[in-house]
C-alpha cells in the first residue's frame, strides 16, 4: 500500500507503507469512558504511526484531568481546548491541531475493534474514497437499552440507513464517525459549526457535492451504548429531527421518504385524535400505528429477552414520535443561533 499524498505530512515516516493517522476525539463529560477509549485507539492493530488529539470541552466531571493525565503518560496524545463545548467546534479544533494525512473521528466513549484503523486505511486506498465509515453497532445491557439497540438496528426503527442496519460495502450518503483524507476536509472547510447535531451528515453531503466519495465499510463496527431511559431517548431523537430539518433547509433536495415518514406519522396521528370526537373513524389512524408497532416488535424482537421485548414498542414509538415532532417544530432560526439561544440549546443537549 502506498502512503496517501499530502502536503502536511509530518517528519514521522510510516512503518512499511502504512501512512500516519490522526485520531480526533471531541470530549465532554467522559471521565468514566475516556481512558478506555484512548487505550483502544493506541492499541490498534496498525503498523503506521498514530496520534490522538483530544478536544476537551468545559465538563462537569474530571474529564480535563483525565485527558491531561493521559497526555502526560503518552507523547502520542495531544489535548486542545474547546471552550464552546460544541461538537463541531471540538472537531475543527482537533483537526487543526492534528498533523497527519488521514484523520479519523472517534467519540470519547466509543470502543473500536482492534482492526478499525487498518480496515479504514485499506478501504481508503482500495476505493479512492474521501471518507469511509462503518456500523454504529448498538449494544444494550439493561432491558430498555436492549430494546433501543434492537430498534436502532431495524428498518422499522431507522429506515434503510446502512450504518445502522448493515449491508453491502459501497457508496453512501453518510457513515458513522468517519475516517477522512485530510485533503477532503481542507477542500470543504471542515465541519459547519452552526450544526449542533447532524454535522456529520451535513459535511458528508458537502464532500459528495464537491466530487468526493463517501464509502460504507461494514467491517468497521463500533460499539455504541444506547440511551438508558425513555426521556433521554426522546430528547436525543427530538434533536435529531430538529437538526435534520436544518440540513434540509440548508441543502435543498436532501430529503427523501425515509426522513418524511416520522413527521408524516406524527401529523396523521394528531389529526386523527383531533377529529375523533366528531368523527370516530379518526381513531383508526393512531390505532393502525399502534397495531403496526406491536406487529413490528414481535417480528423484529424475537431474539430479545422477554423484558426487552416488552419495551420494544415503547422504544419504536419514542424514536418515531420524537424525531417526527422535532422535524415538524424545527424553527427556521435554529441553524444560526444567537448567543443566548445557543447557550440554551447547548444546555438542553448536554442534559441528555
Amino acid at each position: 500500500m502506498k502512503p496517501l499524498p499530502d502536503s502536511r505530512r509530518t517528519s514521522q515516516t510510516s512503518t512499511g507503507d502504512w501512512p500516519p493517522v490522526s485520531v480526533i476525539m471531541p470530549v465532554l463529560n467522559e471521565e468514566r469512558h475516556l481512558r478506555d477509549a484512548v487505550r483502544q485507539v493506541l492499541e490498534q492493530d496498525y503498523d503506521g504511526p498514530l496520534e490522538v488529539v483530544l478536544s476537551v470541552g468545559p465538563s462537569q466531571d474530571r474529564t480535563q484531568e483525565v485527558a491531561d493525565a493521559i497526555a502526560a503518560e503518552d507523547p502520542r496524545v495531544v489535548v486542545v481546548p474547546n471552550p464552546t463545548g460544541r461538537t463541531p467546534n471540538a472537531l475543527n479544533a482537533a483537526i487543526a491541531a492534528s498533523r497527519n494525512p488521514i484523520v479519523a473521528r472517534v467519540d470519547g466513549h466509543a470502543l473500536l475493534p482492534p482492526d478499525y484503523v487498518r480496515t479504514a486505511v485499506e478501504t481508503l486506498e482500495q476505493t479512492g474514497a474521501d471518507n469511509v465509515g462503518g456500523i454504529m453497532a448498538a449494544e444494550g445491557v439493561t432491558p430498555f437499552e436492549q430494546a433501543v439497540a434492537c430498534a436502532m438496528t431495524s428498518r422499522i426503527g431507522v429506515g434503510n440507513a446502512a450504518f445502522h442496519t448493515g449491508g453491502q460495502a459501497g457508496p453512501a450518503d453518510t457513515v458513522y464517525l468517519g475516517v477522512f483524507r485530510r485533503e477532503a476536509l481542507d477542500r470543504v472547510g471542515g465541519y459547519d459549526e452552526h450544526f449542533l447535531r447532524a454535522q456529520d451528515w451535513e459535511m458528508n453531503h458537502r464532500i459528495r457535492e464537491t466530487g468526493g466519495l463517501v464509502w460504507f465499510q461494514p467491517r468497521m463496527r463500533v460499539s455504541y451504548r444506547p440511551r438508558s431511559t425513555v426521556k433521554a431517548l426522546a430528547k436525543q431523537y427530538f434533536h435529531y429531527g430538529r437538526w435534520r430539518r436544518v440540513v434540509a433547509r440548508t441543502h435543498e433536495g436532501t430529503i427523501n421518504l425515509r426522513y418524511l415518514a416520522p413527521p408524516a406519522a406524527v401529523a396523521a396521528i394528531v389529526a386523527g385524535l383531533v377529529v375523533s370526537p366528531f368523527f370516530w373513524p379518526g381513531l383508526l389512524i393512531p390505532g393502525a400505528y399502534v397495531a403496526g408497532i406491536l406487529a413490528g416488535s414481535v417480528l423484529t424482537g424475537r431474539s430479545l429477552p422477554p423484558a426487552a421485548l416488552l419495551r420494544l414498542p415503547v422504544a419504536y414509538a419514542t424514536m418515531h414520535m420524537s424525531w417526527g415532532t422535532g422535524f415538524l417544530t424545527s424553527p427556521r432560526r435554529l441553524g444560526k443561533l444567537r448567543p443566548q439561544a445557543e447557550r440554551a440549546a447547548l444546555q438542553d443537549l448536554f442534559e441528555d
Side-chain angles (χ1 to χ4, degrees):
M1 178 179 297
K2 297 179 180 179
L4 299 176
D6 191 273
S7 60
R8 295 173 64 180
R9 291 285 297 272
T10 72
S11 58
Q12 288 178 303
T13 58
S14 302
T15 301
D17 289 326
W18 294 92
V21 175
S22 296
V23 176
I24 61 171
M25 301 176 67
V27 179
L28 184 75
N29 296 326
E30 294 289 359
E31 176 187 356
R32 289 178 55 199
H33 306 288
L34 183 58
R35 187 171 286 277
D36 285 341
V38 173
R39 177 179 53 79
Q40 292 219 348
V41 172
L42 295 177
E43 294 179 358
Q44 284 285 298
D45 178 18
Y46 184 69
D47 292 330
L50 288 172
E51 72 168 351
V52 178
V53 182
L54 305 177
S55 186
V56 182
S59 301
Q60 299 174 352
D61 58 12
R62 297 181 58 257
T63 296
Q64 184 70 59
E65 290 89 336
V66 173
D68 290 339
I70 295 171
E73 296 163 6
D74 195 314
R76 294 174 294 174
V77 180
V78 177
V79 178
V80 297
N82 173 34
T84 68
R86 297 165 53 116
T87 299
N89 299 64
L91 291 166
N92 284 340
I95 291 168
S98 66
R99 303 172 296 172
N100 294 325
I102 297 177
V103 179
R105 175 193 171 167
V106 175
D107 286 341
H109 55 273
L111 296 179
L112 302 181
D115 64 345
Y116 182 86
V117 173
R118 177 184 290 270
T119 301
V121 173
E122 288 177 340
T123 305
L124 284 171
E125 179 69 12
Q126 293 165 0
T127 64
D130 280 329
N131 179 24
V132 300
I135 295 178
M136 183 181 186
E139 300 172 359
V141 175
T142 69
F144 183 73
E145 289 174 353
Q146 291 171 340
V148 176
C150 178
M152 291 183 69
T153 54
S154 162
R155 290 179 181 271
I156 296 175
V158 293
N160 62 351
F163 72 89
H164 280 299
T165 61
Q168 297 296 317
D173 289 343
T174 191
V175 290
Y176 183 50
L177 300 178
V179 179
F180 302 84
R181 298 179 189 265
R182 179 181 292 278
E183 59 197 43
L185 297 174
D186 291 342
R187 185 177 74 240
V188 301
Y191 290 86
D192 188 330
E193 295 180 356
H194 290 120
F195 287 85
L196 299 185
R197 291 277 176 96
Q199 64 272 159
D200 297 290
W201 200 104
E202 193 277 336
M203 189 174 72
N204 281 316
H205 175 76
R206 286 185 284 121
I207 287 175
R208 293 185 289 105
E209 286 289 290
T210 56
L213 175 65
V214 178
W215 191 269
F216 170 67
Q217 172 54 272
R219 290 191 290 130
M220 297 170 61
R221 294 179 61 89
V222 181
S223 297
Y224 172 84
R225 177 65 59 82
R227 298 297 195 269
S228 59
T229 66
V230 172
K231 180 180 178 181
L233 181 66
K235 182 176 290 188
Q236 178 187 24
Y237 272 78
F238 177 78
H239 288 299
Y240 281 172
R242 281 191 127 196
W243 285 95
R244 188 60 187 83
R245 182 76 176 273
V246 177
V247 174
R249 294 193 193 106
T250 306
H251 303 290
E252 294 184 3
T254 60
I255 283 292
N256 57 36
L257 292 178
R258 175 166 70 92
Y259 296 113
L260 293 177
V266 170
I269 289 171
V270 170
L273 292 174
V274 168
V275 304
S276 62
F278 317 101
F279 183 65
W280 71 263
L283 292 174
L284 295 176
I285 299 175
Y289 175 79
V290 171
I293 289 299
L294 291 175
S297 297
V298 172
L299 180 66
T300 60
R302 287 174 292 186
S303 63
L304 291 175
L309 179 58
L310 288 173
R311 291 164 172 80
L312 185 55
V314 176
Y316 277 134
T318 301
M319 292 163 62
H320 293 163
M321 296 298 102
S322 300
W323 203 101
T325 302
F327 188 92
L328 291 171
T329 61
S330 177
R332 287 191 169 274
R333 60 177 174 76
L334 191 60
K336 298 185 181 295
L337 294 172
R338 295 177 181 177
Q340 184 175 358
E342 179 177 300
R343 287 193 294 271
L346 283 168
Q347 182 178 2
D348 197 29
L349 287 173
F350 297 159
E351 287 176 351
D352 286 5

